[in-house]
Amino acid sequence: MPPIVSIVGRTNSGKTTLMEKLVAEVKRRGYRVATIKHAQEIHFEPGKDSERHLKAGSEVTMVVTPQEAVLIKPVTPQVKLVEIAPLLGEDYDIILTEGFKQSDMPKIEIRYGGKEPLKDIKNLIAIASDEAIGEEIRHFSTGDAKGMVDLLEKNFIKPRTGE
């Protein structure tokens, strides 16, 4: 399975905007990326997070609620079952998720607008914030997607082999 890194933060803290930047930078470097969005309910409306993930360059995205998971992948009108059956297999260099703050996966927490830090976050690898954080942990500006992807590339991204 590809490595998984979660972007976490409070509601309206900028998680999706940061996801868009990270996905675009990962793609710019020639990697393939899949995304997963944790949500309370699934909405298929223009401008929603899953659509933003895809427009940023995610090959496929999944929206997961407490009751269901929906996989969204842009396809051609002539898509065949053999093309879509293996979705989210092991064919990615990294999977970025949005949410899943209680998971054991590595996390980057975004802090924006003076919002309180999340509590009891396991495996926090960095914080994205444009404010002073006063903590001894890797810190990035929210606009520093390049720096964050450098961290991901050094420690998590595993390029596919045998292409």
Side-chain angles (χ1 to χ4, degrees):
M1 175 183 311
I4 298 172
V5 174
S6 292
I7 306 306
V8 298
R10 298 209 180 273
T11 301
N12 295 321
S13 62
K15 295 182 300 289
T16 301
T17 300
L18 179 57
M19 286 285 287
E20 289 173 302
K21 292 174 184 176
L22 294 174
V23 167
E25 180 64 19
V26 168
K27 291 291 289 185
R28 188 190 69 73
R29 295 182 188 203
Y31 297 109
R32 295 181 66 197
V33 61
T35 60
I36 302 173
K37 163 71 178 165
H38 188 249
Q40 293 306 306
E41 52 189 31
I42 295 174
H43 297 283
F44 295 104
E45 300 167 18
K48 285 308 216 178
D49 296 351
S50 55
E51 179 186 54
R52 290 172 62 187
H53 289 193
L54 292 169
K55 283 188 175 183
S58 180
E59 305 284 330
V60 61
T61 191
M62 181 180 283
V63 180
V64 180
T65 73
Q67 299 80 27
E68 60 192 336
V70 175
L71 185 88
I72 305 166
K73 178 171 177 58
V75 295
T76 63
Q78 300 81 23
V79 68
K80 296 178 180 160
L81 182 57
V82 295
E83 296 170 328
I84 61 172
L87 294 177
L88 276 188
E90 296 185 22
D91 196 27
Y92 303 98
D93 300 306
I94 190 166
I95 297 172
L96 295 174
T97 70
E98 181 177 335
F100 303 97
K101 59 188 167 200
Q102 299 307 318
S103 78
D104 290 329
M105 297 299 161
K107 293 169 198 69
I108 298 172
E109 179 182 355
I110 183 167
R111 296 183 187 167
Y112 181 76
K115 300 211 182 245
E116 288 292 317
L118 295 172
K119 304 243 187 273
D120 302 320
I121 297 300
K122 296 181 232 167
N123 208 358
L124 188 64
I125 59 169
I127 294 172
S129 176
D130 291 330
E131 301 163 357
I133 59 169
E135 294 178 38
E136 290 187 25
I137 190 165
R138 190 73 191 257
H139 175 255
F140 296 94
S141 161
T142 57
D144 188 9
K146 184 175 181 179
M148 286 181 263
V149 173
D150 286 345
L151 175 70
L152 297 177
E153 192 171 42
K154 180 180 178 187
N155 297 293
F156 299 99
I157 293 176
K158 302 222 187 312
R160 293 170 289 135
T161 58
E163 291 194 27

PDB file of all heavy atoms in Angstrom, residues 7 14 17-26 28-29 108-110 126-130 138-153:
ATOM      1  N   ILE A   7      -3.942  15.540   6.256  1.00  0.00           N
ATOM      2  CA  ILE A   7      -3.970  16.975   6.537  1.00  0.00           C
ATOM      3  C   ILE A   7      -5.141  17.170   7.486  1.00  0.00           C
ATOM      4  O   ILE A   7      -6.275  16.824   7.157  1.00  0.00           O
ATOM      5  CB  ILE A   7      -4.186  17.794   5.241  1.00  0.00           C
ATOM      6  CG1 ILE A   7      -3.140  17.423   4.184  1.00  0.00           C
ATOM      7  CG2 ILE A   7      -4.216  19.286   5.550  1.00  0.00           C
ATOM      8  CD1 ILE A   7      -1.707  17.517   4.637  1.00  0.00           C
ATOM      9  N   GLY A  14      -8.710  25.700   6.364  1.00  0.00           N
ATOM     10  CA  GLY A  14      -7.940  25.760   5.127  1.00  0.00           C
ATOM     11  C   GLY A  14      -7.398  24.417   4.666  1.00  0.00           C
ATOM     12  O   GLY A  14      -6.501  24.355   3.823  1.00  0.00           O
ATOM     13  N   THR A  17      -7.819  23.866   0.812  1.00  0.00           N
ATOM     14  CA  THR A  17      -6.920  24.745   0.068  1.00  0.00           C
ATOM     15  C   THR A  17      -5.495  24.211   0.133  1.00  0.00           C
ATOM     16  O   THR A  17      -4.785  24.177  -0.878  1.00  0.00           O
ATOM     17  CB  THR A  17      -6.995  26.179   0.618  1.00  0.00           C
ATOM     18  OG1 THR A  17      -8.350  26.641   0.468  1.00  0.00           O
ATOM     19  CG2 THR A  17      -6.056  27.112  -0.126  1.00  0.00           C
ATOM     20  N   LEU A  18      -5.064  23.766   1.309  1.00  0.00           N
ATOM     21  CA  LEU A  18      -3.729  23.183   1.443  1.00  0.00           C
ATOM     22  C   LEU A  18      -3.634  21.894   0.638  1.00  0.00           C
ATOM     23  O   LEU A  18      -2.628  21.643  -0.033  1.00  0.00           O
ATOM     24  CB  LEU A  18      -3.389  22.927   2.913  1.00  0.00           C
ATOM     25  CG  LEU A  18      -2.019  22.299   3.176  1.00  0.00           C
ATOM     26  CD1 LEU A  18      -0.895  23.150   2.593  1.00  0.00           C
ATOM     27  CD2 LEU A  18      -1.827  22.086   4.672  1.00  0.00           C
ATOM     28  N   MET A  19      -4.691  21.068   0.664  1.00  0.00           N
ATOM     29  CA  MET A  19      -4.697  19.832  -0.137  1.00  0.00           C
ATOM     30  C   MET A  19      -4.493  20.156  -1.614  1.00  0.00           C
ATOM     31  O   MET A  19      -3.715  19.494  -2.294  1.00  0.00           O
ATOM     32  CB  MET A  19      -6.008  19.071   0.046  1.00  0.00           C
ATOM     33  CG  MET A  19      -6.159  18.351   1.365  1.00  0.00           C
ATOM     34  SD  MET A  19      -5.185  16.840   1.468  1.00  0.00           S
ATOM     35  CE  MET A  19      -6.113  15.760   0.382  1.00  0.00           C
ATOM     36  N   GLU A  20      -5.191  21.170  -2.120  1.00  0.00           N
ATOM     37  CA  GLU A  20      -5.046  21.547  -3.522  1.00  0.00           C
ATOM     38  C   GLU A  20      -3.593  21.902  -3.845  1.00  0.00           C
ATOM     39  O   GLU A  20      -3.054  21.475  -4.869  1.00  0.00           O
ATOM     40  CB  GLU A  20      -5.944  22.745  -3.847  1.00  0.00           C
ATOM     41  CG  GLU A  20      -7.421  22.419  -3.861  1.00  0.00           C
ATOM     42  CD  GLU A  20      -8.275  23.652  -4.023  1.00  0.00           C
ATOM     43  OE1 GLU A  20      -8.165  24.579  -3.192  1.00  0.00           O
ATOM     44  OE2 GLU A  20      -9.048  23.698  -4.986  1.00  0.00           O
ATOM     45  N   LYS A  21      -2.957  22.658  -2.976  1.00  0.00           N
ATOM     46  CA  LYS A  21      -1.568  23.064  -3.197  1.00  0.00           C
ATOM     47  C   LYS A  21      -0.638  21.852  -3.178  1.00  0.00           C
ATOM     48  O   LYS A  21       0.256  21.726  -4.017  1.00  0.00           O
ATOM     49  CB  LYS A  21      -1.137  24.073  -2.134  1.00  0.00           C
ATOM     50  CG  LYS A  21      -1.842  25.410  -2.242  1.00  0.00           C
ATOM     51  CD  LYS A  21      -1.478  26.305  -1.067  1.00  0.00           C
ATOM     52  CE  LYS A  21      -2.255  27.613  -1.109  1.00  0.00           C
ATOM     53  NZ  LYS A  21      -1.973  28.440   0.083  1.00  0.00           N
ATOM     54  N   LEU A  22      -0.841  20.963  -2.201  1.00  0.00           N
ATOM     55  CA  LEU A  22       0.026  19.790  -2.085  1.00  0.00           C
ATOM     56  C   LEU A  22      -0.152  18.851  -3.274  1.00  0.00           C
ATOM     57  O   LEU A  22       0.826  18.352  -3.832  1.00  0.00           O
ATOM     58  CB  LEU A  22      -0.246  19.055  -0.775  1.00  0.00           C
ATOM     59  CG  LEU A  22       0.109  19.823   0.501  1.00  0.00           C
ATOM     60  CD1 LEU A  22      -0.350  19.040   1.723  1.00  0.00           C
ATOM     61  CD2 LEU A  22       1.590  20.124   0.572  1.00  0.00           C
ATOM     62  N   VAL A  23      -1.400  18.596  -3.666  1.00  0.00           N
ATOM     63  CA  VAL A  23      -1.670  17.725  -4.812  1.00  0.00           C
ATOM     64  C   VAL A  23      -1.005  18.298  -6.060  1.00  0.00           C
ATOM     65  O   VAL A  23      -0.334  17.576  -6.811  1.00  0.00           O
ATOM     66  CB  VAL A  23      -3.192  17.530  -5.026  1.00  0.00           C
ATOM     67  CG1 VAL A  23      -3.484  16.898  -6.381  1.00  0.00           C
ATOM     68  CG2 VAL A  23      -3.789  16.675  -3.903  1.00  0.00           C
ATOM     69  N   ALA A  24      -1.166  19.594  -6.286  1.00  0.00           N
ATOM     70  CA  ALA A  24      -0.577  20.224  -7.470  1.00  0.00           C
ATOM     71  C   ALA A  24       0.948  20.102  -7.452  1.00  0.00           C
ATOM     72  O   ALA A  24       1.567  19.818  -8.486  1.00  0.00           O
ATOM     73  CB  ALA A  24      -1.002  21.689  -7.557  1.00  0.00           C
ATOM     74  N   GLU A  25       1.573  20.279  -6.288  1.00  0.00           N
ATOM     75  CA  GLU A  25       3.035  20.196  -6.213  1.00  0.00           C
ATOM     76  C   GLU A  25       3.522  18.760  -6.390  1.00  0.00           C
ATOM     77  O   GLU A  25       4.522  18.510  -7.061  1.00  0.00           O
ATOM     78  CB  GLU A  25       3.532  20.778  -4.881  1.00  0.00           C
ATOM     79  CG  GLU A  25       5.045  20.742  -4.715  1.00  0.00           C
ATOM     80  CD  GLU A  25       5.837  21.584  -5.710  1.00  0.00           C
ATOM     81  OE1 GLU A  25       5.280  22.505  -6.336  1.00  0.00           O
ATOM     82  OE2 GLU A  25       7.045  21.308  -5.867  1.00  0.00           O
ATOM     83  N   VAL A  26       2.805  17.795  -5.802  1.00  0.00           N
ATOM     84  CA  VAL A  26       3.164  16.384  -5.994  1.00  0.00           C
ATOM     85  C   VAL A  26       3.074  16.034  -7.482  1.00  0.00           C
ATOM     86  O   VAL A  26       3.966  15.403  -8.043  1.00  0.00           O
ATOM     87  CB  VAL A  26       2.264  15.462  -5.135  1.00  0.00           C
ATOM     88  CG1 VAL A  26       2.420  14.009  -5.540  1.00  0.00           C
ATOM     89  CG2 VAL A  26       2.582  15.626  -3.650  1.00  0.00           C
ATOM     90  N   ARG A  28       3.260  18.161 -10.013  1.00  0.00           N
ATOM     91  CA  ARG A  28       4.289  18.904 -10.733  1.00  0.00           C
ATOM     92  C   ARG A  28       5.614  18.144 -10.719  1.00  0.00           C
ATOM     93  O   ARG A  28       6.372  18.192 -11.676  1.00  0.00           O
ATOM     94  CB  ARG A  28       4.476  20.293 -10.107  1.00  0.00           C
ATOM     95  CG  ARG A  28       5.383  21.206 -10.918  1.00  0.00           C
ATOM     96  CD  ARG A  28       5.752  22.482 -10.176  1.00  0.00           C
ATOM     97  NE  ARG A  28       6.634  22.237  -9.044  1.00  0.00           N
ATOM     98  CZ  ARG A  28       7.933  21.921  -9.143  1.00  0.00           C
ATOM     99  NH1 ARG A  28       8.497  21.781 -10.324  1.00  0.00           N
ATOM    100  NH2 ARG A  28       8.661  21.735  -8.060  1.00  0.00           N
ATOM    101  N   ARG A  29       5.852  17.388  -9.668  1.00  0.00           N
ATOM    102  CA  ARG A  29       7.089  16.619  -9.554  1.00  0.00           C
ATOM    103  C   ARG A  29       7.010  15.263 -10.254  1.00  0.00           C
ATOM    104  O   ARG A  29       7.933  14.468 -10.189  1.00  0.00           O
ATOM    105  CB  ARG A  29       7.449  16.433  -8.082  1.00  0.00           C
ATOM    106  CG  ARG A  29       7.774  17.751  -7.411  1.00  0.00           C
ATOM    107  CD  ARG A  29       8.167  17.578  -5.980  1.00  0.00           C
ATOM    108  NE  ARG A  29       8.281  18.878  -5.329  1.00  0.00           N
ATOM    109  CZ  ARG A  29       8.998  19.098  -4.259  1.00  0.00           C
ATOM    110  NH1 ARG A  29       9.685  18.109  -3.700  1.00  0.00           N
ATOM    111  NH2 ARG A  29       9.040  20.302  -3.724  1.00  0.00           N
ATOM    112  N   ILE A 108      -0.109  16.365   9.033  1.00  0.00           N
ATOM    113  CA  ILE A 108       0.266  17.768   9.031  1.00  0.00           C
ATOM    114  C   ILE A 108      -0.979  18.518   9.478  1.00  0.00           C
ATOM    115  O   ILE A 108      -2.034  18.404   8.844  1.00  0.00           O
ATOM    116  CB  ILE A 108       0.703  18.244   7.629  1.00  0.00           C
ATOM    117  CG1 ILE A 108       1.930  17.471   7.157  1.00  0.00           C
ATOM    118  CG2 ILE A 108       0.960  19.756   7.642  1.00  0.00           C
ATOM    119  CD1 ILE A 108       2.319  17.729   5.709  1.00  0.00           C
ATOM    120  N   GLU A 109      -0.873  19.263  10.570  1.00  0.00           N
ATOM    121  CA  GLU A 109      -2.028  20.023  11.054  1.00  0.00           C
ATOM    122  C   GLU A 109      -1.944  21.443  10.533  1.00  0.00           C
ATOM    123  O   GLU A 109      -0.908  22.095  10.653  1.00  0.00           O
ATOM    124  CB  GLU A 109      -2.059  20.051  12.587  1.00  0.00           C
ATOM    125  CG  GLU A 109      -3.227  20.856  13.129  1.00  0.00           C
ATOM    126  CD  GLU A 109      -3.259  20.954  14.648  1.00  0.00           C
ATOM    127  OE1 GLU A 109      -2.425  20.316  15.321  1.00  0.00           O
ATOM    128  OE2 GLU A 109      -4.120  21.686  15.162  1.00  0.00           O
ATOM    129  N   ILE A 110      -3.029  21.940   9.965  1.00  0.00           N
ATOM    130  CA  ILE A 110      -3.079  23.337   9.544  1.00  0.00           C
ATOM    131  C   ILE A 110      -3.786  24.126  10.633  1.00  0.00           C
ATOM    132  O   ILE A 110      -4.823  23.706  11.148  1.00  0.00           O
ATOM    133  CB  ILE A 110      -3.747  23.524   8.164  1.00  0.00           C
ATOM    134  CG1 ILE A 110      -3.710  24.989   7.755  1.00  0.00           C
ATOM    135  CG2 ILE A 110      -5.146  22.943   8.144  1.00  0.00           C
ATOM    136  CD1 ILE A 110      -4.053  25.252   6.316  1.00  0.00           C
ATOM    137  N   ALA A 126       4.215  17.727  11.246  1.00  0.00           N
ATOM    138  CA  ALA A 126       4.460  19.142  10.956  1.00  0.00           C
ATOM    139  C   ALA A 126       3.187  19.940  11.200  1.00  0.00           C
ATOM    140  O   ALA A 126       2.093  19.386  11.280  1.00  0.00           O
ATOM    141  CB  ALA A 126       4.919  19.326   9.508  1.00  0.00           C
ATOM    142  N   ILE A 127       3.378  21.253  11.271  1.00  0.00           N
ATOM    143  CA  ILE A 127       2.255  22.180  11.406  1.00  0.00           C
ATOM    144  C   ILE A 127       2.379  23.208  10.293  1.00  0.00           C
ATOM    145  O   ILE A 127       3.480  23.712  10.026  1.00  0.00           O
ATOM    146  CB  ILE A 127       2.266  22.872  12.779  1.00  0.00           C
ATOM    147  CG1 ILE A 127       2.015  21.835  13.884  1.00  0.00           C
ATOM    148  CG2 ILE A 127       1.226  23.994  12.840  1.00  0.00           C
ATOM    149  CD1 ILE A 127       2.191  22.359  15.284  1.00  0.00           C
ATOM    150  N   ALA A 128       1.282  23.510   9.640  1.00  0.00           N
ATOM    151  CA  ALA A 128       1.219  24.566   8.633  1.00  0.00           C
ATOM    152  C   ALA A 128       0.450  25.725   9.249  1.00  0.00           C
ATOM    153  O   ALA A 128      -0.723  25.582   9.606  1.00  0.00           O
ATOM    154  CB  ALA A 128       0.516  24.064   7.371  1.00  0.00           C
ATOM    155  N   SER A 129       1.113  26.867   9.403  1.00  0.00           N
ATOM    156  CA  SER A 129       0.476  28.020  10.018  1.00  0.00           C
ATOM    157  C   SER A 129       1.261  29.265   9.651  1.00  0.00           C
ATOM    158  O   SER A 129       2.485  29.218   9.537  1.00  0.00           O
ATOM    159  CB  SER A 129       0.446  27.868  11.545  1.00  0.00           C
ATOM    160  OG  SER A 129      -0.081  29.037  12.142  1.00  0.00           O
ATOM    161  N   ASP A 130       0.570  30.364   9.480  1.00  0.00           N
ATOM    162  CA  ASP A 130       1.240  31.629   9.222  1.00  0.00           C
ATOM    163  C   ASP A 130       1.411  32.432  10.509  1.00  0.00           C
ATOM    164  O   ASP A 130       1.805  33.587  10.479  1.00  0.00           O
ATOM    165  CB  ASP A 130       0.470  32.436   8.165  1.00  0.00           C
ATOM    166  CG  ASP A 130       0.571  31.774   6.806  1.00  0.00           C
ATOM    167  OD1 ASP A 130       1.596  31.118   6.533  1.00  0.00           O
ATOM    168  OD2 ASP A 130      -0.379  31.879   6.019  1.00  0.00           O
ATOM    169  N   ARG A 138       8.253  20.552  13.305  1.00  0.00           N
ATOM    170  CA  ARG A 138       8.483  21.144  11.977  1.00  0.00           C
ATOM    171  C   ARG A 138       7.334  22.090  11.657  1.00  0.00           C
ATOM    172  O   ARG A 138       6.169  21.740  11.817  1.00  0.00           O
ATOM    173  CB  ARG A 138       8.573  20.015  10.952  1.00  0.00           C
ATOM    174  CG  ARG A 138       9.025  20.455   9.604  1.00  0.00           C
ATOM    175  CD  ARG A 138      10.526  20.785   9.610  1.00  0.00           C
ATOM    176  NE  ARG A 138      10.893  21.440   8.385  1.00  0.00           N
ATOM    177  CZ  ARG A 138      11.525  20.832   7.400  1.00  0.00           C
ATOM    178  NH1 ARG A 138      11.881  19.576   7.513  1.00  0.00           N
ATOM    179  NH2 ARG A 138      11.815  21.491   6.304  1.00  0.00           N
ATOM    180  N   HIS A 139       7.647  23.321  11.209  1.00  0.00           N
ATOM    181  CA  HIS A 139       6.642  24.351  10.949  1.00  0.00           C
ATOM    182  C   HIS A 139       6.817  24.881   9.530  1.00  0.00           C
ATOM    183  O   HIS A 139       7.934  25.141   9.093  1.00  0.00           O
ATOM    184  CB  HIS A 139       6.813  25.491  11.961  1.00  0.00           C
ATOM    185  CG  HIS A 139       5.913  26.652  11.706  1.00  0.00           C
ATOM    186  ND1 HIS A 139       6.377  27.831  11.167  1.00  0.00           N
ATOM    187  CD2 HIS A 139       4.593  26.824  11.905  1.00  0.00           C
ATOM    188  CE1 HIS A 139       5.365  28.674  11.058  1.00  0.00           C
ATOM    189  NE2 HIS A 139       4.277  28.093  11.493  1.00  0.00           N
ATOM    190  N   PHE A 140       5.702  25.011   8.820  1.00  0.00           N
ATOM    191  CA  PHE A 140       5.704  25.559   7.468  1.00  0.00           C
ATOM    192  C   PHE A 140       4.661  26.663   7.381  1.00  0.00           C
ATOM    193  O   PHE A 140       3.627  26.609   8.050  1.00  0.00           O
ATOM    194  CB  PHE A 140       5.318  24.486   6.431  1.00  0.00           C
ATOM    195  CG  PHE A 140       6.287  23.351   6.338  1.00  0.00           C
ATOM    196  CD1 PHE A 140       6.094  22.199   7.076  1.00  0.00           C
ATOM    197  CD2 PHE A 140       7.391  23.433   5.495  1.00  0.00           C
ATOM    198  CE1 PHE A 140       6.987  21.136   6.988  1.00  0.00           C
ATOM    199  CE2 PHE A 140       8.291  22.377   5.404  1.00  0.00           C
ATOM    200  CZ  PHE A 140       8.083  21.223   6.150  1.00  0.00           C
ATOM    201  N   SER A 141       4.896  27.626   6.511  1.00  0.00           N
ATOM    202  CA  SER A 141       3.866  28.592   6.155  1.00  0.00           C
ATOM    203  C   SER A 141       2.775  27.828   5.399  1.00  0.00           C
ATOM    204  O   SER A 141       3.064  26.850   4.706  1.00  0.00           O
ATOM    205  CB  SER A 141       4.472  29.664   5.255  1.00  0.00           C
ATOM    206  OG  SER A 141       3.465  30.355   4.555  1.00  0.00           O
ATOM    207  N   THR A 142       1.541  28.280   5.493  1.00  0.00           N
ATOM    208  CA  THR A 142       0.457  27.581   4.782  1.00  0.00           C
ATOM    209  C   THR A 142       0.645  27.626   3.272  1.00  0.00           C
ATOM    210  O   THR A 142       0.100  26.795   2.565  1.00  0.00           O
ATOM    211  CB  THR A 142      -0.923  28.176   5.142  1.00  0.00           C
ATOM    212  OG1 THR A 142      -0.923  29.576   4.832  1.00  0.00           O
ATOM    213  CG2 THR A 142      -1.240  27.970   6.616  1.00  0.00           C
ATOM    214  N   GLY A 143       1.419  28.573   2.776  1.00  0.00           N
ATOM    215  CA  GLY A 143       1.672  28.666   1.335  1.00  0.00           C
ATOM    216  C   GLY A 143       2.901  27.898   0.877  1.00  0.00           C
ATOM    217  O   GLY A 143       3.215  27.897  -0.309  1.00  0.00           O
ATOM    218  N   ASP A 144       3.586  27.231   1.793  1.00  0.00           N
ATOM    219  CA  ASP A 144       4.834  26.543   1.454  1.00  0.00           C
ATOM    220  C   ASP A 144       4.596  25.080   1.077  1.00  0.00           C
ATOM    221  O   ASP A 144       5.111  24.165   1.713  1.00  0.00           O
ATOM    222  CB  ASP A 144       5.830  26.646   2.617  1.00  0.00           C
ATOM    223  CG  ASP A 144       7.211  26.127   2.258  1.00  0.00           C
ATOM    224  OD1 ASP A 144       7.458  25.846   1.062  1.00  0.00           O
ATOM    225  OD2 ASP A 144       8.045  25.987   3.178  1.00  0.00           O
ATOM    226  N   ALA A 145       3.810  24.856   0.037  1.00  0.00           N
ATOM    227  CA  ALA A 145       3.563  23.486  -0.426  1.00  0.00           C
ATOM    228  C   ALA A 145       4.868  22.824  -0.839  1.00  0.00           C
ATOM    229  O   ALA A 145       5.075  21.629  -0.588  1.00  0.00           O
ATOM    230  CB  ALA A 145       2.571  23.477  -1.585  1.00  0.00           C
ATOM    231  N   LYS A 146       5.758  23.585  -1.439  1.00  0.00           N
ATOM    232  CA  LYS A 146       7.036  23.015  -1.881  1.00  0.00           C
ATOM    233  C   LYS A 146       7.809  22.444  -0.685  1.00  0.00           C
ATOM    234  O   LYS A 146       8.316  21.325  -0.743  1.00  0.00           O
ATOM    235  CB  LYS A 146       7.856  24.075  -2.606  1.00  0.00           C
ATOM    236  CG  LYS A 146       9.136  23.534  -3.165  1.00  0.00           C
ATOM    237  CD  LYS A 146       9.883  24.569  -3.981  1.00  0.00           C
ATOM    238  CE  LYS A 146      11.148  23.920  -4.517  1.00  0.00           C
ATOM    239  NZ  LYS A 146      11.944  24.774  -5.323  1.00  0.00           N
ATOM    240  N   GLY A 147       7.905  23.196   0.384  1.00  0.00           N
ATOM    241  CA  GLY A 147       8.609  22.718   1.569  1.00  0.00           C
ATOM    242  C   GLY A 147       7.954  21.486   2.174  1.00  0.00           C
ATOM    243  O   GLY A 147       8.633  20.537   2.593  1.00  0.00           O
ATOM    244  N   MET A 148       6.616  21.486   2.223  1.00  0.00           N
ATOM    245  CA  MET A 148       5.915  20.327   2.780  1.00  0.00           C
ATOM    246  C   MET A 148       6.100  19.093   1.905  1.00  0.00           C
ATOM    247  O   MET A 148       6.299  17.989   2.406  1.00  0.00           O
ATOM    248  CB  MET A 148       4.436  20.654   2.989  1.00  0.00           C
ATOM    249  CG  MET A 148       4.212  21.573   4.180  1.00  0.00           C
ATOM    250  SD  MET A 148       2.473  21.960   4.467  1.00  0.00           S
ATOM    251  CE  MET A 148       2.359  23.539   3.639  1.00  0.00           C
ATOM    252  N   VAL A 149       6.068  19.292   0.585  1.00  0.00           N
ATOM    253  CA  VAL A 149       6.275  18.147  -0.305  1.00  0.00           C
ATOM    254  C   VAL A 149       7.728  17.686  -0.234  1.00  0.00           C
ATOM    255  O   VAL A 149       8.004  16.488  -0.347  1.00  0.00           O
ATOM    256  CB  VAL A 149       5.808  18.447  -1.747  1.00  0.00           C
ATOM    257  CG1 VAL A 149       6.186  17.313  -2.694  1.00  0.00           C
ATOM    258  CG2 VAL A 149       4.289  18.655  -1.763  1.00  0.00           C
ATOM    259  N   ASP A 150       8.668  18.608   0.001  1.00  0.00           N
ATOM    260  CA  ASP A 150      10.049  18.179   0.246  1.00  0.00           C
ATOM    261  C   ASP A 150      10.090  17.205   1.421  1.00  0.00           C
ATOM    262  O   ASP A 150      10.750  16.160   1.359  1.00  0.00           O
ATOM    263  CB  ASP A 150      10.957  19.374   0.559  1.00  0.00           C
ATOM    264  CG  ASP A 150      11.304  20.227  -0.653  1.00  0.00           C
ATOM    265  OD1 ASP A 150      11.094  19.769  -1.802  1.00  0.00           O
ATOM    266  OD2 ASP A 150      11.781  21.367  -0.448  1.00  0.00           O
ATOM    267  N   LEU A 151       9.401  17.543   2.501  1.00  0.00           N
ATOM    268  CA  LEU A 151       9.326  16.665   3.679  1.00  0.00           C
ATOM    269  C   LEU A 151       8.687  15.325   3.316  1.00  0.00           C
ATOM    270  O   LEU A 151       9.195  14.260   3.688  1.00  0.00           O
ATOM    271  CB  LEU A 151       8.522  17.348   4.791  1.00  0.00           C
ATOM    272  CG  LEU A 151       8.251  16.517   6.042  1.00  0.00           C
ATOM    273  CD1 LEU A 151       9.524  16.302   6.845  1.00  0.00           C
ATOM    274  CD2 LEU A 151       7.191  17.191   6.906  1.00  0.00           C
ATOM    275  N   LEU A 152       7.581  15.374   2.565  1.00  0.00           N
ATOM    276  CA  LEU A 152       6.903  14.137   2.154  1.00  0.00           C
ATOM    277  C   LEU A 152       7.808  13.308   1.246  1.00  0.00           C
ATOM    278  O   LEU A 152       7.899  12.090   1.393  1.00  0.00           O
ATOM    279  CB  LEU A 152       5.590  14.459   1.439  1.00  0.00           C
ATOM    280  CG  LEU A 152       4.523  15.179   2.260  1.00  0.00           C
ATOM    281  CD1 LEU A 152       3.312  15.482   1.385  1.00  0.00           C
ATOM    282  CD2 LEU A 152       4.136  14.383   3.480  1.00  0.00           C
ATOM    283  N   GLU A 153       8.479  13.980   0.323  1.00  0.00           N
ATOM    284  CA  GLU A 153       9.343  13.279  -0.623  1.00  0.00           C
ATOM    285  C   GLU A 153      10.512  12.602   0.108  1.00  0.00           C
ATOM    286  O   GLU A 153      10.878  11.466  -0.194  1.00  0.00           O
ATOM    287  CB  GLU A 153       9.862  14.270  -1.659  1.00  0.00           C
ATOM    288  CG  GLU A 153      10.535  13.638  -2.839  1.00  0.00           C
ATOM    289  CD  GLU A 153      10.816  14.661  -3.930  1.00  0.00           C
ATOM    290  OE1 GLU A 153      11.256  15.802  -3.620  1.00  0.00           O
ATOM    291  OE2 GLU A 153      10.597  14.332  -5.097  1.00  0.00           O
TER     292      GLU A 153
END
